[in-house]
Amino acid sequence: MEEPKSTRINKYLSEIGYCSRRAADKLILENRVTINGVVPEMGTKIVPDDEVRVDGKLVSTPEEKPVYIAFNKPVGIVCTTDTKAEKNNIIDYIKYPKRIFPIGRLDKASEGLILLTSDGDIVNKILRARNNHEKEYLVSVNKPINPEFLKRMRNGIPILDTITRKCEVEQLDKNRFKIILTQGLNRQIRRMCEYLDYKVVKLKRVRIMNIRLDIPIGKWRYLTDDELNEITRLISDSAKTHFDEP
């Protein structure tokens, strides 16, 4: 008799749209997840008949169509689903009636485009940095930009024990530039600027892959079918395995 298909608990919570895999790992470490009434270890696998609960509430695969949202995040809102620990969180701000979570992050001090969804599978694919998905930002700094700054930003800056990937950087005016990244290191643009003795005054994300920011600050909209079809094409060669979250 064939063995039932097993899935790691963090992958399961992600695939059913409960939360991202990283958030699932945190829930497991905090002993907030149970499988058949037992608190699991990290990496525990489940089979279809297992009963999974989070904070005592039964978790099940949603039957509804997944939700995909583009949101223009204001400064001061934190991209976390932990509504208990962070009062200015993105979930309470949007107040969407069903469970969604952000794809990646955008600093509290930054504004602009962030995507949210109930589809854990697409999160895993988009967040994998090695898939080279572009993110475009408009950045204002505290003093005039010079050619040396542009050259060094384009060719890689040593931060967080690595060298940033080569990227597109275009000066827009005296103190403002556009940058297109294909990786998501923690506070990457701010750290790059700080290394060159510049301070970011304003940072706004205006594009993720094929999705452009086209809504007022603090507002959200659903992704269009055309946008979703293009995202599906862009991530079609992405595996469902481990990802690097920005």
mmCIF file of all heavy atoms in Angstrom, residues 164-213:
data_model
loop_
_atom_site.group_PDB
_atom_site.id
_atom_site.type_symbol
_atom_site.label_atom_id
_atom_site.label_comp_id
_atom_site.label_asym_id
_atom_site.label_seq_id
_atom_site.Cartn_x
_atom_site.Cartn_y
_atom_site.Cartn_z
ATOM 1 N N THR A 164 27.115 43.705 -2.919
ATOM 2 C CA THR A 164 25.825 43.785 -3.600
ATOM 3 C C THR A 164 25.999 43.539 -5.097
ATOM 4 O O THR A 164 27.044 43.846 -5.678
ATOM 5 C CB THR A 164 25.153 45.150 -3.373
ATOM 6 O OG1 THR A 164 26.019 46.194 -3.847
ATOM 7 C CG2 THR A 164 24.864 45.365 -1.891
ATOM 8 N N ARG A 165 24.965 42.965 -5.700
ATOM 9 C CA ARG A 165 25.006 42.699 -7.138
ATOM 10 C C ARG A 165 25.073 44.002 -7.925
ATOM 11 O O ARG A 165 24.546 45.023 -7.507
ATOM 12 C CB ARG A 165 23.734 41.959 -7.566
ATOM 13 C CG ARG A 165 23.664 40.526 -7.155
ATOM 14 C CD ARG A 165 22.406 39.916 -7.737
ATOM 15 N NE ARG A 165 22.108 38.653 -7.084
ATOM 16 C CZ ARG A 165 20.911 38.106 -7.036
ATOM 17 N NH1 ARG A 165 19.878 38.742 -7.577
ATOM 18 N NH2 ARG A 165 20.712 36.950 -6.449
ATOM 19 N N LYS A 166 25.668 43.931 -9.106
ATOM 20 C CA LYS A 166 25.632 45.077 -10.003
ATOM 21 C C LYS A 166 24.173 45.411 -10.302
ATOM 22 O O LYS A 166 23.328 44.523 -10.413
ATOM 23 C CB LYS A 166 26.382 44.770 -11.296
ATOM 24 C CG LYS A 166 27.889 44.679 -11.101
ATOM 25 C CD LYS A 166 28.612 44.577 -12.429
ATOM 26 C CE LYS A 166 30.115 44.594 -12.203
ATOM 27 N NZ LYS A 166 30.864 44.558 -13.483
ATOM 28 N N CYS A 167 23.886 46.696 -10.390
ATOM 29 C CA CYS A 167 22.493 47.112 -10.574
ATOM 30 C C CYS A 167 22.424 48.390 -11.394
ATOM 31 O O CYS A 167 23.430 49.067 -11.607
ATOM 32 C CB CYS A 167 21.822 47.316 -9.214
ATOM 33 S SG CYS A 167 22.594 48.601 -8.201
ATOM 34 N N GLU A 168 21.222 48.712 -11.842
ATOM 35 C CA GLU A 168 20.987 49.949 -12.597
ATOM 36 C C GLU A 168 20.768 51.105 -11.630
ATOM 37 O O GLU A 168 19.954 50.996 -10.709
ATOM 38 C CB GLU A 168 19.756 49.803 -13.489
ATOM 39 C CG GLU A 168 19.897 48.826 -14.626
ATOM 40 C CD GLU A 168 18.643 48.782 -15.477
ATOM 41 O OE1 GLU A 168 18.104 49.872 -15.798
ATOM 42 O OE2 GLU A 168 18.191 47.672 -15.806
ATOM 43 N N VAL A 169 21.506 52.199 -11.845
ATOM 44 C CA VAL A 169 21.327 53.409 -11.037
ATOM 45 C C VAL A 169 21.323 54.606 -11.982
ATOM 46 O O VAL A 169 22.219 54.758 -12.808
ATOM 47 C CB VAL A 169 22.449 53.582 -9.990
ATOM 48 C CG1 VAL A 169 22.186 54.822 -9.135
ATOM 49 C CG2 VAL A 169 22.574 52.349 -9.110
ATOM 50 N N GLU A 170 20.302 55.447 -11.860
ATOM 51 C CA GLU A 170 20.182 56.618 -12.737
ATOM 52 C C GLU A 170 19.889 57.855 -11.894
ATOM 53 O O GLU A 170 18.955 57.862 -11.092
ATOM 54 C CB GLU A 170 19.052 56.391 -13.743
ATOM 55 C CG GLU A 170 18.787 57.580 -14.654
ATOM 56 C CD GLU A 170 17.533 57.385 -15.501
ATOM 57 O OE1 GLU A 170 17.083 56.231 -15.673
ATOM 58 O OE2 GLU A 170 16.986 58.416 -15.961
ATOM 59 N N GLN A 171 20.699 58.902 -12.090
ATOM 60 C CA GLN A 171 20.464 60.151 -11.360
ATOM 61 C C GLN A 171 19.264 60.875 -11.958
ATOM 62 O O GLN A 171 19.133 61.018 -13.172
ATOM 63 C CB GLN A 171 21.705 61.045 -11.420
ATOM 64 C CG GLN A 171 21.561 62.313 -10.586
ATOM 65 C CD GLN A 171 22.886 63.045 -10.404
ATOM 66 O OE1 GLN A 171 23.922 62.592 -10.868
ATOM 67 N NE2 GLN A 171 22.843 64.177 -9.729
ATOM 68 N N LEU A 172 18.353 61.340 -11.072
ATOM 69 C CA LEU A 172 17.143 62.034 -11.516
ATOM 70 C C LEU A 172 17.268 63.545 -11.345
ATOM 71 O O LEU A 172 16.790 64.305 -12.175
ATOM 72 C CB LEU A 172 15.932 61.509 -10.746
ATOM 73 C CG LEU A 172 15.649 60.008 -10.906
ATOM 74 C CD1 LEU A 172 14.486 59.589 -10.015
ATOM 75 C CD2 LEU A 172 15.367 59.659 -12.360
ATOM 76 N N ASP A 173 17.851 63.972 -10.242
ATOM 77 C CA ASP A 173 18.196 65.374 -10.041
ATOM 78 C C ASP A 173 19.323 65.442 -9.016
ATOM 79 O O ASP A 173 19.944 64.421 -8.711
ATOM 80 C CB ASP A 173 16.976 66.221 -9.646
ATOM 81 C CG ASP A 173 16.238 65.670 -8.426
ATOM 82 O OD1 ASP A 173 16.909 65.223 -7.476
ATOM 83 O OD2 ASP A 173 14.996 65.704 -8.420
ATOM 84 N N LYS A 174 19.573 66.615 -8.470
ATOM 85 C CA LYS A 174 20.766 66.818 -7.630
ATOM 86 C C LYS A 174 20.900 65.797 -6.499
ATOM 87 O O LYS A 174 21.975 65.256 -6.265
ATOM 88 C CB LYS A 174 20.731 68.249 -7.053
ATOM 89 C CG LYS A 174 22.007 68.631 -6.306
ATOM 90 C CD LYS A 174 21.986 70.087 -5.890
ATOM 91 C CE LYS A 174 20.976 70.336 -4.774
ATOM 92 N NZ LYS A 174 21.112 71.708 -4.204
ATOM 93 N N ASN A 175 19.817 65.546 -5.799
ATOM 94 C CA ASN A 175 19.866 64.674 -4.620
ATOM 95 C C ASN A 175 19.027 63.405 -4.766
ATOM 96 O O ASN A 175 18.774 62.728 -3.781
ATOM 97 C CB ASN A 175 19.350 65.424 -3.374
ATOM 98 C CG ASN A 175 20.303 66.475 -2.881
ATOM 99 O OD1 ASN A 175 20.797 67.282 -3.658
ATOM 100 N ND2 ASN A 175 20.577 66.481 -1.597
ATOM 101 N N ARG A 176 18.607 63.074 -5.978
ATOM 102 C CA ARG A 176 17.658 61.968 -6.132
ATOM 103 C C ARG A 176 18.087 61.039 -7.260
ATOM 104 O O ARG A 176 18.582 61.494 -8.299
ATOM 105 C CB ARG A 176 16.259 62.534 -6.409
ATOM 106 C CG ARG A 176 15.124 61.557 -6.156
ATOM 107 C CD ARG A 176 13.795 62.322 -6.061
ATOM 108 N NE ARG A 176 13.438 62.898 -7.358
ATOM 109 C CZ ARG A 176 12.500 62.378 -8.164
ATOM 110 N NH1 ARG A 176 11.839 61.311 -7.799
ATOM 111 N NH2 ARG A 176 12.223 62.964 -9.304
ATOM 112 N N PHE A 177 17.886 59.725 -7.028
ATOM 113 C CA PHE A 177 18.245 58.746 -8.050
ATOM 114 C C PHE A 177 17.237 57.605 -8.083
ATOM 115 O O PHE A 177 16.463 57.395 -7.146
ATOM 116 C CB PHE A 177 19.666 58.202 -7.823
ATOM 117 C CG PHE A 177 19.844 57.410 -6.548
ATOM 118 C CD1 PHE A 177 19.715 56.027 -6.521
ATOM 119 C CD2 PHE A 177 20.181 58.054 -5.356
ATOM 120 C CE1 PHE A 177 19.888 55.300 -5.357
ATOM 121 C CE2 PHE A 177 20.363 57.331 -4.175
ATOM 122 C CZ PHE A 177 20.215 55.949 -4.178
ATOM 123 N N LYS A 178 17.253 56.868 -9.184
ATOM 124 C CA LYS A 178 16.447 55.652 -9.357
ATOM 125 C C LYS A 178 17.384 54.462 -9.305
ATOM 126 O O LYS A 178 18.482 54.510 -9.859
ATOM 127 C CB LYS A 178 15.718 55.691 -10.700
ATOM 128 C CG LYS A 178 14.910 54.430 -11.003
ATOM 129 C CD LYS A 178 14.178 54.557 -12.324
ATOM 130 C CE LYS A 178 15.111 54.351 -13.507
ATOM 131 N NZ LYS A 178 14.377 54.347 -14.796
ATOM 132 N N ILE A 179 16.975 53.384 -8.626
ATOM 133 C CA ILE A 179 17.793 52.185 -8.549
ATOM 134 C C ILE A 179 16.905 50.964 -8.753
ATOM 135 O O ILE A 179 15.775 50.922 -8.260
ATOM 136 C CB ILE A 179 18.558 52.117 -7.192
ATOM 137 C CG1 ILE A 179 19.480 50.889 -7.147
ATOM 138 C CG2 ILE A 179 17.612 52.123 -6.000
ATOM 139 C CD1 ILE A 179 20.469 50.915 -5.977
ATOM 140 N N ILE A 180 17.412 49.992 -9.509
ATOM 141 C CA ILE A 180 16.686 48.746 -9.767
ATOM 142 C C ILE A 180 17.507 47.590 -9.206
ATOM 143 O O ILE A 180 18.632 47.339 -9.660
ATOM 144 C CB ILE A 180 16.429 48.540 -11.268
ATOM 145 C CG1 ILE A 180 15.577 49.695 -11.823
ATOM 146 C CG2 ILE A 180 15.732 47.200 -11.519
ATOM 147 C CD1 ILE A 180 15.383 49.663 -13.325
ATOM 148 N N LEU A 181 16.959 46.911 -8.203
ATOM 149 C CA LEU A 181 17.658 45.807 -7.537
ATOM 150 C C LEU A 181 17.091 44.462 -7.971
ATOM 151 O O LEU A 181 15.917 44.348 -8.321
ATOM 152 C CB LEU A 181 17.510 45.922 -6.019
ATOM 153 C CG LEU A 181 18.069 47.174 -5.343
ATOM 154 C CD1 LEU A 181 17.841 47.084 -3.837
ATOM 155 C CD2 LEU A 181 19.548 47.360 -5.647
ATOM 156 N N THR A 182 17.951 43.442 -7.928
ATOM 157 C CA THR A 182 17.497 42.072 -8.179
ATOM 158 C C THR A 182 17.823 41.186 -6.974
ATOM 159 O O THR A 182 17.924 39.974 -7.098
ATOM 160 C CB THR A 182 18.171 41.484 -9.435
ATOM 161 O OG1 THR A 182 19.589 41.568 -9.286
ATOM 162 C CG2 THR A 182 17.735 42.228 -10.679
ATOM 163 N N GLN A 183 18.028 41.814 -5.811
ATOM 164 C CA GLN A 183 18.228 41.060 -4.577
ATOM 165 C C GLN A 183 17.556 41.824 -3.453
ATOM 166 O O GLN A 183 17.171 42.974 -3.639
ATOM 167 C CB GLN A 183 19.722 40.823 -4.295
ATOM 168 C CG GLN A 183 20.498 42.082 -4.009
ATOM 169 C CD GLN A 183 22.004 41.852 -3.889
ATOM 170 O OE1 GLN A 183 22.766 42.619 -4.412
ATOM 171 N NE2 GLN A 183 22.414 40.812 -3.211
ATOM 172 N N GLY A 184 17.425 41.194 -2.304
ATOM 173 C CA GLY A 184 16.674 41.827 -1.226
ATOM 174 C C GLY A 184 17.378 41.718 0.107
ATOM 175 O O GLY A 184 16.837 41.140 1.047
ATOM 176 N N LEU A 185 18.574 42.271 0.197
ATOM 177 C CA LEU A 185 19.279 42.262 1.474
ATOM 178 C C LEU A 185 18.587 43.213 2.452
ATOM 179 O O LEU A 185 17.933 44.176 2.044
ATOM 180 C CB LEU A 185 20.736 42.693 1.277
ATOM 181 C CG LEU A 185 21.574 41.820 0.327
ATOM 182 C CD1 LEU A 185 22.966 42.421 0.160
ATOM 183 C CD2 LEU A 185 21.658 40.389 0.837
ATOM 184 N N ASN A 186 18.753 42.967 3.724
ATOM 185 C CA ASN A 186 18.112 43.766 4.756
ATOM 186 C C ASN A 186 18.542 45.229 4.671
ATOM 187 O O ASN A 186 19.724 45.520 4.696
ATOM 188 C CB ASN A 186 18.462 43.187 6.130
ATOM 189 C CG ASN A 186 17.800 43.949 7.255
ATOM 190 O OD1 ASN A 186 18.439 44.747 7.926
ATOM 191 N ND2 ASN A 186 16.523 43.719 7.458
ATOM 192 N N ARG A 187 17.575 46.128 4.518
ATOM 193 C CA ARG A 187 17.838 47.578 4.432
ATOM 194 C C ARG A 187 18.950 47.882 3.418
ATOM 195 O O ARG A 187 19.821 48.717 3.635
ATOM 196 C CB ARG A 187 18.204 48.129 5.816
ATOM 197 C CG ARG A 187 17.067 48.025 6.828
ATOM 198 C CD ARG A 187 17.505 48.394 8.239
ATOM 199 N NE ARG A 187 18.023 49.752 8.325
ATOM 200 C CZ ARG A 187 17.286 50.842 8.474
ATOM 201 N NH1 ARG A 187 15.975 50.732 8.557
ATOM 202 N NH2 ARG A 187 17.826 52.031 8.548
ATOM 203 N N GLN A 188 18.877 47.195 2.285
ATOM 204 C CA GLN A 188 19.987 47.214 1.337
ATOM 205 C C GLN A 188 20.357 48.613 0.831
ATOM 206 O O GLN A 188 21.522 49.003 0.872
ATOM 207 C CB GLN A 188 19.658 46.308 0.139
ATOM 208 C CG GLN A 188 20.779 46.273 -0.907
ATOM 209 C CD GLN A 188 20.557 45.211 -1.954
ATOM 210 O OE1 GLN A 188 19.761 44.297 -1.770
ATOM 211 N NE2 GLN A 188 21.246 45.319 -3.072
ATOM 212 N N ILE A 189 19.375 49.361 0.347
ATOM 213 C CA ILE A 189 19.696 50.675 -0.242
ATOM 214 C C ILE A 189 20.229 51.622 0.821
ATOM 215 O O ILE A 189 21.201 52.349 0.588
ATOM 216 C CB ILE A 189 18.444 51.268 -0.925
ATOM 217 C CG1 ILE A 189 18.025 50.368 -2.097
ATOM 218 C CG2 ILE A 189 18.717 52.692 -1.412
ATOM 219 C CD1 ILE A 189 16.686 50.725 -2.710
ATOM 220 N N ARG A 190 19.635 51.611 1.997
ATOM 221 C CA ARG A 190 20.106 52.473 3.087
ATOM 222 C C ARG A 190 21.537 52.127 3.475
ATOM 223 O O ARG A 190 22.365 53.020 3.695
ATOM 224 C CB ARG A 190 19.169 52.352 4.295
ATOM 225 C CG ARG A 190 17.761 52.873 4.026
ATOM 226 C CD ARG A 190 16.839 52.702 5.229
ATOM 227 N NE ARG A 190 15.467 53.011 4.876
ATOM 228 C CZ ARG A 190 14.952 54.239 4.863
ATOM 229 N NH1 ARG A 190 15.710 55.273 5.192
ATOM 230 N NH2 ARG A 190 13.682 54.444 4.531
ATOM 231 N N ARG A 191 21.836 50.830 3.555
ATOM 232 C CA ARG A 191 23.198 50.414 3.921
ATOM 233 C C ARG A 191 24.202 50.781 2.835
ATOM 234 O O ARG A 191 25.330 51.181 3.125
ATOM 235 C CB ARG A 191 23.236 48.903 4.173
ATOM 236 C CG ARG A 191 22.491 48.449 5.431
ATOM 237 C CD ARG A 191 22.574 46.941 5.573
ATOM 238 N NE ARG A 191 21.668 46.409 6.564
ATOM 239 C CZ ARG A 191 21.948 46.277 7.866
ATOM 240 N NH1 ARG A 191 23.145 46.658 8.314
ATOM 241 N NH2 ARG A 191 21.066 45.775 8.703
ATOM 242 N N MET A 192 23.806 50.634 1.577
ATOM 243 C CA MET A 192 24.690 50.994 0.462
ATOM 244 C C MET A 192 25.027 52.482 0.512
ATOM 245 O O MET A 192 26.192 52.877 0.359
ATOM 246 C CB MET A 192 24.024 50.641 -0.872
ATOM 247 C CG MET A 192 23.902 49.144 -1.138
ATOM 248 S SD MET A 192 22.863 48.770 -2.592
ATOM 249 C CE MET A 192 23.973 49.262 -3.937
ATOM 250 N N CYS A 193 23.998 53.298 0.731
ATOM 251 C CA CYS A 193 24.221 54.746 0.801
ATOM 252 C C CYS A 193 25.086 55.121 2.003
ATOM 253 O O CYS A 193 26.010 55.948 1.890
ATOM 254 C CB CYS A 193 22.888 55.485 0.856
ATOM 255 S SG CYS A 193 21.936 55.416 -0.692
ATOM 256 N N GLU A 194 24.801 54.498 3.146
ATOM 257 C CA GLU A 194 25.583 54.783 4.362
ATOM 258 C C GLU A 194 27.055 54.448 4.168
ATOM 259 O O GLU A 194 27.939 55.152 4.667
ATOM 260 C CB GLU A 194 25.013 53.997 5.543
ATOM 261 C CG GLU A 194 23.718 54.586 6.093
ATOM 262 C CD GLU A 194 22.999 53.644 7.052
ATOM 263 O OE1 GLU A 194 23.584 52.581 7.397
ATOM 264 O OE2 GLU A 194 21.857 53.955 7.443
ATOM 265 N N TYR A 195 27.345 53.381 3.446
ATOM 266 C CA TYR A 195 28.737 52.987 3.196
ATOM 267 C C TYR A 195 29.482 54.102 2.446
ATOM 268 O O TYR A 195 30.679 54.311 2.646
ATOM 269 C CB TYR A 195 28.780 51.683 2.390
ATOM 270 C CG TYR A 195 30.175 51.166 2.176
ATOM 271 C CD1 TYR A 195 30.806 50.379 3.133
ATOM 272 C CD2 TYR A 195 30.872 51.483 1.003
ATOM 273 C CE1 TYR A 195 32.096 49.926 2.948
ATOM 274 C CE2 TYR A 195 32.167 51.032 0.800
ATOM 275 C CZ TYR A 195 32.776 50.250 1.778
ATOM 276 O OH TYR A 195 34.068 49.801 1.583
ATOM 277 N N LEU A 196 28.760 54.820 1.596
ATOM 278 C CA LEU A 196 29.353 55.919 0.819
ATOM 279 C C LEU A 196 29.153 57.271 1.492
ATOM 280 O O LEU A 196 29.323 58.314 0.870
ATOM 281 C CB LEU A 196 28.760 55.919 -0.590
ATOM 282 C CG LEU A 196 29.003 54.636 -1.411
ATOM 283 C CD1 LEU A 196 28.261 54.708 -2.743
ATOM 284 C CD2 LEU A 196 30.492 54.416 -1.643
ATOM 285 N N ASP A 197 28.769 57.241 2.775
ATOM 286 C CA ASP A 197 28.600 58.452 3.581
ATOM 287 C C ASP A 197 27.431 59.332 3.101
ATOM 288 O O ASP A 197 27.496 60.553 3.139
ATOM 289 C CB ASP A 197 29.900 59.271 3.625
ATOM 290 C CG ASP A 197 29.912 60.262 4.778
ATOM 291 O OD1 ASP A 197 29.257 59.980 5.807
ATOM 292 O OD2 ASP A 197 30.552 61.329 4.648
ATOM 293 N N TYR A 198 26.384 58.661 2.628
ATOM 294 C CA TYR A 198 25.144 59.344 2.282
ATOM 295 C C TYR A 198 24.046 58.810 3.189
ATOM 296 O O TYR A 198 24.073 57.656 3.596
ATOM 297 C CB TYR A 198 24.746 59.090 0.828
ATOM 298 C CG TYR A 198 25.498 59.900 -0.188
ATOM 299 C CD1 TYR A 198 26.817 59.583 -0.517
ATOM 300 C CD2 TYR A 198 24.900 60.977 -0.836
ATOM 301 C CE1 TYR A 198 27.524 60.319 -1.462
ATOM 302 C CE2 TYR A 198 25.595 61.727 -1.782
ATOM 303 C CZ TYR A 198 26.906 61.392 -2.088
ATOM 304 O OH TYR A 198 27.587 62.129 -3.022
ATOM 305 N N LYS A 199 23.066 59.651 3.473
ATOM 306 C CA LYS A 199 21.925 59.215 4.286
ATOM 307 C C LYS A 199 20.654 59.312 3.448
ATOM 308 O O LYS A 199 20.401 60.330 2.798
ATOM 309 C CB LYS A 199 21.790 60.091 5.542
ATOM 310 C CG LYS A 199 20.658 59.654 6.462
ATOM 311 C CD LYS A 199 20.588 60.541 7.702
ATOM 312 C CE LYS A 199 19.439 60.110 8.602
ATOM 313 N NZ LYS A 199 19.309 60.972 9.795
ATOM 314 N N VAL A 200 19.859 58.243 3.467
ATOM 315 C CA VAL A 200 18.590 58.243 2.743
ATOM 316 C C VAL A 200 17.585 59.119 3.474
ATOM 317 O O VAL A 200 17.316 58.930 4.659
ATOM 318 C CB VAL A 200 18.036 56.810 2.590
ATOM 319 C CG1 VAL A 200 16.612 56.838 2.039
ATOM 320 C CG2 VAL A 200 18.940 55.978 1.691
ATOM 321 N N VAL A 201 17.000 60.070 2.756
ATOM 322 C CA VAL A 201 15.987 60.964 3.302
ATOM 323 C C VAL A 201 14.586 60.437 2.973
ATOM 324 O O VAL A 201 13.665 60.516 3.794
ATOM 325 C CB VAL A 201 16.174 62.394 2.749
ATOM 326 C CG1 VAL A 201 15.049 63.300 3.228
ATOM 327 C CG2 VAL A 201 17.538 62.948 3.142
ATOM 328 N N LYS A 202 14.442 59.883 1.787
ATOM 329 C CA LYS A 202 13.153 59.321 1.368
ATOM 330 C C LYS A 202 13.411 58.143 0.439
ATOM 331 O O LYS A 202 14.261 58.219 -0.443
ATOM 332 C CB LYS A 202 12.302 60.386 0.650
ATOM 333 C CG LYS A 202 10.918 59.899 0.260
ATOM 334 C CD LYS A 202 10.092 61.021 -0.372
ATOM 335 C CE LYS A 202 8.693 60.529 -0.741
ATOM 336 N NZ LYS A 202 7.878 61.602 -1.352
ATOM 337 N N LEU A 203 12.661 57.070 0.667
ATOM 338 C CA LEU A 203 12.807 55.877 -0.166
ATOM 339 C C LEU A 203 11.420 55.373 -0.536
ATOM 340 O O LEU A 203 10.592 55.127 0.337
ATOM 341 C CB LEU A 203 13.595 54.797 0.587
ATOM 342 C CG LEU A 203 14.114 53.603 -0.232
ATOM 343 C CD1 LEU A 203 15.328 52.988 0.449
ATOM 344 C CD2 LEU A 203 13.046 52.534 -0.428
ATOM 345 N N LYS A 204 11.186 55.234 -1.836
ATOM 346 C CA LYS A 204 9.866 54.840 -2.321
ATOM 347 C C LYS A 204 10.013 53.743 -3.371
ATOM 348 O O LYS A 204 10.726 53.922 -4.368
ATOM 349 C CB LYS A 204 9.142 56.044 -2.926
ATOM 350 C CG LYS A 204 7.736 55.764 -3.435
ATOM 351 C CD LYS A 204 7.107 57.066 -3.921
ATOM 352 C CE LYS A 204 5.654 56.876 -4.325
ATOM 353 N NZ LYS A 204 5.039 58.150 -4.732
ATOM 354 N N ARG A 205 9.350 52.600 -3.138
ATOM 355 C CA ARG A 205 9.382 51.536 -4.138
ATOM 356 C C ARG A 205 8.242 51.759 -5.123
ATOM 357 O O ARG A 205 7.089 51.920 -4.718
ATOM 358 C CB ARG A 205 9.253 50.160 -3.480
ATOM 359 C CG ARG A 205 9.385 49.015 -4.484
ATOM 360 C CD ARG A 205 9.826 47.717 -3.828
ATOM 361 N NE ARG A 205 8.853 47.219 -2.887
ATOM 362 C CZ ARG A 205 9.119 46.275 -1.986
ATOM 363 N NH1 ARG A 205 10.341 45.771 -1.883
ATOM 364 N NH2 ARG A 205 8.187 45.854 -1.164
ATOM 365 N N VAL A 206 8.567 51.758 -6.410
ATOM 366 C CA VAL A 206 7.565 52.086 -7.434
ATOM 367 C C VAL A 206 7.265 50.912 -8.370
ATOM 368 O O VAL A 206 6.342 51.001 -9.193
ATOM 369 C CB VAL A 206 8.011 53.308 -8.272
ATOM 370 C CG1 VAL A 206 8.063 54.554 -7.397
ATOM 371 C CG2 VAL A 206 9.370 53.071 -8.941
ATOM 372 N N ARG A 207 8.044 49.821 -8.248
ATOM 373 C CA ARG A 207 7.769 48.667 -9.109
ATOM 374 C C ARG A 207 8.308 47.399 -8.472
ATOM 375 O O ARG A 207 9.388 47.409 -7.864
ATOM 376 C CB ARG A 207 8.403 48.854 -10.497
ATOM 377 C CG ARG A 207 8.202 47.665 -11.440
ATOM 378 C CD ARG A 207 8.662 48.016 -12.856
ATOM 379 N NE ARG A 207 10.092 48.262 -12.949
ATOM 380 C CZ ARG A 207 11.012 47.288 -13.134
ATOM 381 N NH1 ARG A 207 10.643 46.027 -13.238
ATOM 382 N NH2 ARG A 207 12.285 47.601 -13.240
ATOM 383 N N ILE A 208 7.531 46.297 -8.596
ATOM 384 C CA ILE A 208 7.993 44.954 -8.278
ATOM 385 C C ILE A 208 7.719 44.105 -9.504
ATOM 386 O O ILE A 208 6.558 43.935 -9.901
ATOM 387 C CB ILE A 208 7.265 44.354 -7.056
ATOM 388 C CG1 ILE A 208 7.506 45.192 -5.798
ATOM 389 C CG2 ILE A 208 7.704 42.912 -6.826
ATOM 390 C CD1 ILE A 208 6.667 44.753 -4.604
ATOM 391 N N MET A 209 8.762 43.605 -10.143
ATOM 392 C CA MET A 209 8.621 42.829 -11.376
ATOM 393 C C MET A 209 7.827 43.644 -12.388
ATOM 394 O O MET A 209 8.223 44.734 -12.766
ATOM 395 C CB MET A 209 7.980 41.462 -11.060
ATOM 396 C CG MET A 209 8.821 40.608 -10.105
ATOM 397 S SD MET A 209 7.944 39.242 -9.340
ATOM 398 C CE MET A 209 7.565 38.202 -10.727
ATOM 399 N N ASN A 210 6.639 43.156 -12.796
ATOM 400 C CA ASN A 210 5.810 43.852 -13.794
ATOM 401 C C ASN A 210 4.724 44.719 -13.156
ATOM 402 O O ASN A 210 3.931 45.342 -13.866
ATOM 403 C CB ASN A 210 5.131 42.830 -14.709
ATOM 404 C CG ASN A 210 4.249 41.853 -13.925
ATOM 405 O OD1 ASN A 210 4.725 41.221 -12.991
ATOM 406 N ND2 ASN A 210 2.999 41.703 -14.305
ATOM 407 N N ILE A 211 4.681 44.782 -11.818
ATOM 408 C CA ILE A 211 3.632 45.547 -11.134
ATOM 409 C C ILE A 211 4.157 46.948 -10.806
ATOM 410 O O ILE A 211 5.156 47.089 -10.097
ATOM 411 C CB ILE A 211 3.188 44.855 -9.829
ATOM 412 C CG1 ILE A 211 2.929 43.369 -10.053
ATOM 413 C CG2 ILE A 211 1.970 45.565 -9.244
ATOM 414 C CD1 ILE A 211 1.854 43.067 -11.057
ATOM 415 N N ARG A 212 3.468 47.962 -11.310
ATOM 416 C CA ARG A 212 3.885 49.347 -11.070
ATOM 417 C C ARG A 212 2.949 50.020 -10.061
ATOM 418 O O ARG A 212 1.757 49.735 -10.008
ATOM 419 C CB ARG A 212 3.891 50.144 -12.373
ATOM 420 C CG ARG A 212 4.953 49.653 -13.343
ATOM 421 C CD ARG A 212 5.162 50.579 -14.517
ATOM 422 N NE ARG A 212 6.269 50.128 -15.343
ATOM 423 C CZ ARG A 212 7.540 50.426 -15.122
ATOM 424 N NH1 ARG A 212 7.855 51.211 -14.088
ATOM 425 N NH2 ARG A 212 8.494 49.978 -15.908
ATOM 426 N N LEU A 213 3.527 50.916 -9.285
ATOM 427 C CA LEU A 213 2.743 51.670 -8.296
ATOM 428 C C LEU A 213 1.866 52.686 -9.031
ATOM 429 O O LEU A 213 2.372 53.591 -9.695
ATOM 430 C CB LEU A 213 3.698 52.380 -7.333
ATOM 431 C CG LEU A 213 3.052 53.127 -6.173
ATOM 432 C CD1 LEU A 213 2.340 52.153 -5.237
ATOM 433 C CD2 LEU A 213 4.095 53.916 -5.398
#
